[in-house]
Amino acid sequence: TEIGYYDLHGELLTLLRWPGADRIVIEADVEAYRSHHLDRADDDNSRRRTEEWLQGQTYPERFPAYGNVIVDSEGYLWVEEFHPEWEEHRFWMVFDDELRMLGTVQMPGRFVVQQIGSDFVLGYTWDELDVEYVLLYELIKR
C-alpha cells in the first residue's frame, strides 16, 4: 500500500509505503453490507425499496487500501485504514514528518475526524436518531 508525497508544485518527493492486508470482498462482506442497509429501514415500504436498490448493486473485488488522510497541526500524517461503515472501530496509522510510522490510534466507529491538534482530536458522531454531536477527545502521546 502506498501514498505519494508531493511538493507544492506537484513534484513527487517520495512514496510512503506500508504493508497492508489485501482485503478481498467475500460473500460475508456483501451480506454484512446488505444487512447493514436493511436494518436501517424504518418500515416495510422502506425495507422493500432498500431490497430493490440492493438487487441492482454491483460489488468490487477488493476493499480500498485506506480511507481518509489528514495532516495534523504538528505536520504528522494520519492515514485511516479502510473499514466498512458497520465495523465497530476505526484505526489510524500515524507517520512523523520523515514518514516513519509512529503507531496506530483506535477511534470509535461512529466518529468522523475533522481536525487533529497536538493534544486533541475533534470530530463528530451521531446517535440512532441520526442526531449529530461534536466531540473533542484528548490526545495522549506515549
Side-chain angles (χ1 to χ4, degrees):
T1 307
E2 66 184 28
I3 293 176
Y5 188 70
Y6 296 83
D7 67 14
L8 295 175
H9 304 289
E11 201 78 32
L12 179 64
L13 299 175
T14 189
L15 289 173
L16 171 60
R17 291 189 172 121
W18 68 92
D22 186 15
R23 293 196 52 193
I24 295 172
V25 175
I26 60 174
E27 188 61 33
D29 297 317
V30 173
E31 285 306 312
Y33 177 83
R34 293 176 54 77
S35 294
H36 173 74
H37 285 283
L38 289 170
D39 290 348
R40 297 180 71 177
D42 296 332
D43 54 37
D44 289 341
N45 192 34
S46 177
R47 186 174 178 84
R48 182 183 48 72
R49 284 194 318 269
T50 301
E51 285 175 345
E52 289 172 3
W53 174 74
L54 288 167
Q55 290 292 331
Q57 295 299 304
T58 58
Y59 301 96
E61 292 180 19
R62 300 183 189 306
F63 287 106
Y66 55 89
N68 293 317
V69 177
I70 294 177
V71 177
D72 71 13
S73 64
E74 306 291 311
Y76 291 0
L77 182 68
W78 291 62
V79 179
E80 182 184 29
E81 294 179 9
F82 176 79
H83 63 281
E85 58 188 289
W86 58 86
E87 284 187 354
E88 189 173 333
H89 300 287
R90 298 178 183 201
F91 294 91
W92 291 75
M93 297 172 288
V94 184
F95 299 88
D96 68 12
D97 55 357
E98 294 182 18
L99 301 180
R100 292 179 300 227
M101 187 170 178
L102 300 176
T104 303
V105 177
Q106 180 179 330
M107 308 249 188
R110 286 186 138 190
F111 180 67
V112 178
V113 176
Q114 295 292 298
Q115 181 182 1
I116 303 170
S118 61
D119 61 353
F120 70 89
V121 178
L122 176 68
Y124 67 91
T125 190
W126 58 95
D127 63 19
E128 61 280 347
L129 299 174
D130 286 334
V131 175
E132 290 186 357
Y133 299 91
V134 174
L135 293 174
L136 180 70
Y137 288 108
E138 181 179 17
L139 182 59
I140 300 170
K141 298 177 183 176
R142 294 184 185 180

